[in-house]
Amino acid sequence: MDRFKYIITLVFFCIPILCWSNDELEDLFLQLDEIIQQIPSLDQKKEEKIKSLKEALALNENSLKEKYFLAEELFLAYEFYKFKEAIHYAFLQRKLARELNDQDLINRSNLNLSILLINSGSYEEPATIMQKIDRQSLNDDRWKQYYETQKTLYNQLFAYTPTIELKEVYLKKYLSYCDTLLNLVSENSDSYLDIKETFALDKRNLLDARKISSLRLSRTSIGERVYSKAAYMRSLTYELEHDDLNQKKYLILSAISDIKGNIKDNASIASLALKLYNENEIELAYKYIHVANEDALFFGSKLRAIQLGNVMPLISKSYEAQLQEKNNILQLYTILISGLIIIALAAVFFSLQQLKKSRVAGKELESTNHELGDAVENLSKANSQLRQLSIDLKNTSHIKEVYLGEFLKICSDYIDKLEHQNIHAQKMLVGRKYSKFLEELKNQDVRKTEMKDFYQNFDQTFLSIYPNFIEQINDLIDESAPVIVKQKSLLNTELRVFAFIRLGISDSHKIAKLLGTSVTTIYNYRVKLRNKARGDRDLFEEQVMEIGNSED
């Protein structure tokens, strides 16, 4: 029972920690994506700094020694940024040192050149350069630089040689140079801590390795190469423990630091991409491996190109396979939807056929059907006019929405009325009340009622869109002869004519049909109101078209 309580308590405390870790990791991924977007601007700042150094180097008044140190600054600026440019300034640095005949500066430039070549994957040439160095001429600083360079050379030779016998030789030399460096450098230096952390990691003393890593990270800031290396080393300690969350956390921190520091010769973002690939996060892996590839191409190092050449095809192939799978699913959905549409159309067609079959053809209903057909035709014409009105109202999305709703309402009302009329006609004919039915058909009150409803619907809809239309019309005409309406919520015929013009329907024939009046009447209304215009009469209708625009 106590054991069960212990497990429950452990789970209770672990779940919030796990959730917090996931949230932290999501935030870090967001930060990484944001800093990736900033790469062009960060590179531009770097280029501006380099440009100022180049301009200083080009000044003739600089002494040879000043030019040497400017060349070295440019070398350091390019060291992890652009390989070819770094090589150029490493050789220039050595040339200036030889012109100065300063042995220490010659040694310094040779070691700078060597470490650059080693980090790019070239080993034979730097080995030759260091063999030719006169070790008797090395001072304390240069000895440290010399041993650091040798340590890096044999570490990489050990890592990349395929021969077991040579691996053993290179490992011994690497360890020998590490031991020598530990005796030369201060225990407080990053070089010392780097070696100690590597030894602890190799011996799987992960707690010791993390203590050293925490110390190194606390002494530097994100954006510096030391921070990038320390964060990457920290990720390796979690990789050995299969702690995926913390491994990704420190890979992301290292990658962010590389980007902030314009470090194109990097490993963290490629390692992160490979980790995500192994976790089947293909889209993220594809995105980050492409960033790593762009950095490698920008830097121009053959070593990084070889490393990425082993990983990138795997991720790209998986990404393409994932895309193909998504496309296949999309095609399947398209086929299913198309099938459903065909079934729906078939059902509609079948319903229409059944409806046709259910109609009883008879002589007594021929005239009624003809009249109903005319009514349907009239409705169709009305619908066409309303559709045209809807098309003409495209200039604002608000008008389109309002009139579309009104159009659907009118259609629904007409369908209900036709259905009611059809039922009523059948009853009258079945009851043989032909005379009464004929009288009803001849009655004009129905049309007047429908036109009245049409006017009221149009007025209310139009004024809901342009509530100040009447006032703005009066602003355009002579103030001594304003247009006066009986009800504020309704327009008169004169205002309806110009309401249609505001909606883009300027053809008098169309307006006459919509209002159920003659073209001459419409023309008279237009001329009458145009003659009242305060300004240019020829521009009056254009001014009407502008009503409501300032309110938008």
Side-chain angles (χ1 to χ4, degrees), residues 281-293:
E281 295 284 348
I282 305 301
E283 282 192 38
L284 276 178
Y286 183 79
K287 177 168 68 174
Y288 295 141
I289 201 65
H290 270 268
V291 175
N293 186 54

Side-chain angles (χ1 to χ4, degrees), residues 226-448:
V226 173
Y227 185 98
S228 300
K229 284 184 67 178
Y232 182 77
M233 292 284 285
R234 183 68 167 256
S235 75
L236 296 177
T237 67
Y238 292 113
E239 182 182 8
L240 292 169
E241 285 186 336
H242 306 289
D243 184 345
D244 297 332
L245 287 175
N246 278 310
Q247 182 190 356
K248 286 186 283 190
K249 172 185 173 180
Y250 282 96
L251 282 175
I252 294 170
L253 287 170
S254 179
I256 291 172
S257 180
D258 284 334
I259 294 170
K260 280 191 173 182
N262 303 102
I263 300 166
K264 303 296 184 180
D265 184 21
N266 57 61
S268 301
I269 198 160
S271 299
L272 177 63
L274 184 59
K275 176 68 179 172
L276 292 167
Y277 168 75
N278 290 330
E279 293 178 350
N280 207 33
E281 295 284 348
I282 305 301
E283 282 192 38
L284 276 178
Y286 183 79
K287 177 168 68 174
Y288 295 141
I289 201 65
H290 270 268
V291 175
N293 186 54
E294 286 171 6
D295 283 350
L297 292 173
F298 187 92
F299 180 69
S301 163
K302 68 177 183 180
L303 179 61
R304 291 294 177 213
I306 292 169
Q307 290 171 339
L308 289 173
N310 297 326
V311 177
M312 194 166 177
L314 291 174
I315 297 175
S316 295
K317 187 176 180 181
S318 297
Y319 180 72
E320 289 168 7
Q322 190 180 75
L323 281 181
Q324 185 59 48
E325 185 179 351
K326 286 182 178 179
N327 287 335
N328 291 340
I329 292 171
L330 185 61
Q331 287 178 2
L332 179 61
Y333 284 153
T334 304
I335 292 168
L336 287 173
I337 291 168
S338 300
L340 290 172
I341 291 171
I342 292 169
I343 292 169
L345 290 173
V348 170
F349 178 77
F350 178 75
S351 299
L352 290 172
Q353 290 297 103
Q354 290 297 107
L355 185 61
K356 284 181 181 179
K357 289 178 182 179
S358 66
R359 290 176 181 171
V360 179
K363 291 181 180 179
E364 294 180 353
L365 292 177
E366 282 183 5
S367 60
T368 305
N369 286 338
H370 179 70
E371 290 168 1
L372 287 173
D374 291 341
V376 171
E377 186 179 349
N378 291 333
L379 176 61
S380 177
K381 288 178 180 178
N383 288 342
S384 298
Q385 290 169 348
L386 287 172
R387 277 197 296 272
Q388 183 60 41
L389 177 60
S390 178
I391 292 168
D392 291 337
L393 293 178
K394 277 184 179 176
N395 56 335
T396 63
S397 60
H398 176 62
I399 296 172
K400 182 178 178 181
E401 290 171 5
V402 172
Y403 273 90
L404 181 58
E406 190 59 29
F407 165 71
L408 292 173
K409 179 178 176 297
I410 290 170
C411 287
S412 176
D413 290 345
Y414 267 110
I415 289 168
D416 290 342
K417 288 175 182 179
L418 281 174
E419 185 178 0
H420 176 74
Q421 184 179 352
N422 189 12
I423 293 169
H424 178 68
Q426 289 181 24
K427 285 181 179 180
M428 295 293 284
L429 291 170
V430 169
R432 298 182 179 278
K433 298 177 181 180
Y434 303 125
S435 300
K436 187 178 180 181
F437 184 47
L438 184 61
E439 287 177 9
E440 287 180 2
L441 291 174
K442 291 178 179 179
N443 192 343
Q444 293 296 317
D445 290 341
V446 175
R447 185 180 184 281
K448 290 179 182 178

Side-chain angles (χ1 to χ4, degrees), residues 421 477 515:
Q421 184 179 352
I477 62 177
L515 294 179

